[in-house]
Amino acid sequence: MAQKRPACTLKPECVQQLLVCSQEAKKSAYCPYSHFPVGAALLTQEGRIFKGCNIENACYPLGICAERTAIQKAVSEGYKDFRAIAIASDMQDDFISPCGACRQVMREVRHPFALPSSSAMVVRLPQPCGTFGTNWPVYMTKPDGTYIVMTVQELLPSSFGPEDLQKTQ
Ligand code: THU
């Protein structure tokens, strides 16, 4: 099923559940301007799934992507550690890929697992690991349920993050 790399942190049934949730989330998209519905499903460390959809506005810049809706919902409900996020769109022939702003926001969140970049092994760290994370998986899907998975680090290399703010002090 996976096109690029096997699921590296989640059991296949968990991946499937997350994918289905992202497709369900897409149904709530409010996108009268782009007509491009997107859904996201964010899995917390505790096993909860927060869904998000894109929500556009007549004042175009105020629109928000599905991924950030899901992250903001989860964080505002007290969840700050995440295992994975799945994204769904209606594109039949392409895997939906998160925009730059969403990649940066994903980069901010904490993740409970460290993923060795060269291995499919999962390393459990003390919970929570307390670091901000670039190394957690993003499942980018097609409507037929196929997906590619990349880490935030792969999607946003050489990024700026919270730890950089400490470096001048
Ligand atoms: N969009 C998302 O919600 N997530 C993505 O990964 C890419 C784009 C939304 C933003 C806008 O509402 C519409 O898709 C067209 O760009």
Side-chain angles (χ1 to χ4, degrees), residues 34 36 38 54 56 65-67 87 96-99:
S34 71
F36 191 89
V38 182
N54 53 335
E56 299 181 349
C65 293
E67 298 92 319
I87 317 166
I96 179 70
S97 184
C99 78

Side-chain angles (χ1 to χ4, degrees), residues 41-99:
L42 178 65
L43 179 64
T44 72
Q45 178 193 343
E46 298 82 359
R48 277 197 59 171
I49 293 177
F50 283 87
K51 297 177 186 172
C53 61
N54 53 335
I55 305 170
E56 299 181 349
N57 192 277
C59 181
Y60 290 178
L62 298 185
I64 185 166
C65 293
E67 298 92 319
R68 277 176 288 150
T69 300
I71 291 169
Q72 290 177 5
K73 281 175 66 179
V75 172
S76 64
E77 293 295 324
Y79 295 86
K80 295 192 178 67
D81 299 295
F82 304 110
R83 294 185 187 177
I85 189 168
I87 317 166
S89 84
D90 282 345
M91 291 191 291
Q92 301 292 332
D93 299 327
D94 291 286
F95 300 99
I96 179 70
S97 184
C99 78

